Amino acid sequence: MISEEKVKIMTEMARYEKKYGERDFHINRYREEDYIRLETIKMSIALTVAFLIILTILCLSQLDVLIVMLRKGKFLFALLSILIIYVIIFLAYLHFTKKRAIRDYEEVEARIKMYDKYLEELLRLYEEKEHEDVSPSIDPEEQDDGTTINI
């Protein structure tokens, strides 16, 4: 027989798996420190590549200004300024990436704990059903009539 409680639990679990499941299980494979480190590395690579692309585009579009700076010897100052801007942007992104990764991991951890709670409840319900007494019994009304049951 279908238990309404089991159906409710399975529905919640299926809803979770469809909405968050794959991403949460992927994130939960890592320890928190490893996940934060991975997100930081991904951000560092993406930011560096984006910065180099933008810098290349700016240098190519302002090539005449770049040549004038090389002739006057101010290229080192410009390069140092660009490097300082990159470091400031990098540190800001690093800070916010760590905060986001910590928040994401904590949210995933809470959802996984809820999912585990559903699993434990479902297991408990299945164990109760398994240990349920299924042996034949005599109704109290039939017992009072005094007839003997031969087995």
Side-chain angles (χ1 to χ4, degrees), residues 78-133:
L79 194 60
L80 187 63
S81 300
I82 291 171
L83 187 63
I84 289 172
I85 291 171
Y86 172 74
V87 169
I88 290 171
I89 292 172
F90 182 83
L91 292 176
Y93 266 84
L94 183 70
H95 174 72
F96 290 115
T97 300
K98 283 185 178 183
K99 283 191 172 280
R100 183 187 51 82
I102 290 169
R103 186 192 68 227
D104 287 350
Y105 194 85
E106 288 172 353
E107 288 174 359
V108 165
E109 205 170 44
R111 287 192 299 260
I112 293 283
K113 284 181 183 177
M114 183 60 74
Y115 184 78
D116 287 343
K117 182 181 165 192
Y118 285 140
L119 279 175
E120 288 172 6
E121 180 68 20
L122 195 59
L123 180 63
R124 184 187 61 78
L125 289 173
Y126 276 113
E127 286 176 352
E128 283 178 6
K129 180 72 174 171
E130 188 176 291
H131 291 31
E132 197 174 86
D133 187 19

Side-chain angles (χ1 to χ4, degrees), residues 18-143:
K18 185 172 183 171
K19 189 171 185 181
Y20 303 107
E22 189 174 330
R23 181 178 181 271
D24 283 1
F25 294 139
H26 175 75
I27 290 172
N28 196 45
R29 290 187 313 187
Y30 303 102
R31 290 187 335 212
E32 185 174 11
E33 301 85 29
D34 293 337
Y35 177 71
I36 293 169
R37 193 172 297 119
L38 176 68
E39 290 297 307
T40 303
I41 290 170
K42 288 190 318 190
M43 181 278 308
S44 300
I45 292 170
L47 182 66
T48 302
V49 168
F51 193 79
L52 289 174
I53 289 171
I54 291 172
L55 188 61
T56 303
I57 291 171
L58 286 175
C59 285
L60 290 175
S61 67
Q62 299 293 320
L63 197 55
D64 55 340
V65 175
L66 186 63
I67 292 172
V68 170
M69 290 176 87
L70 281 171
R71 284 188 177 174
K72 290 183 179 179
K74 295 183 180 180
F75 183 70
L76 188 61
F77 176 72
L79 194 60
L80 187 63
S81 300
I82 291 171
L83 187 63
I84 289 172
I85 291 171
Y86 172 74
V87 169
I88 290 171
I89 292 172
F90 182 83
L91 292 176
Y93 266 84
L94 183 70
H95 174 72
F96 290 115
T97 300
K98 283 185 178 183
K99 283 191 172 280
R100 183 187 51 82
I102 290 169
R103 186 192 68 227
D104 287 350
Y105 194 85
E106 288 172 353
E107 288 174 359
V108 165
E109 205 170 44
R111 287 192 299 260
I112 293 283
K113 284 181 183 177
M114 183 60 74
Y115 184 78
D116 287 343
K117 182 181 165 192
Y118 285 140
L119 279 175
E120 288 172 6
E121 180 68 20
L122 195 59
L123 180 63
R124 184 187 61 78
L125 289 173
Y126 276 113
E127 286 176 352
E128 283 178 6
K129 180 72 174 171
E130 188 176 291
H131 291 31
E132 197 174 86
D133 187 19
V134 292
S135 61
S137 61
I138 302 172
D139 283 344
E141 297 171 0
E142 292 178 9
Q143 199 172 19

Side-chain angles (χ1 to χ4, degrees), residues 2-13 122 125:
I2 298 176
S3 168
E4 186 176 327
E5 193 172 354
K6 286 182 196 175
V7 171
K8 286 181 183 178
I9 292 172
M10 287 182 190
T11 304
E12 285 299 317
M13 290 172 65
L122 195 59
L125 289 173

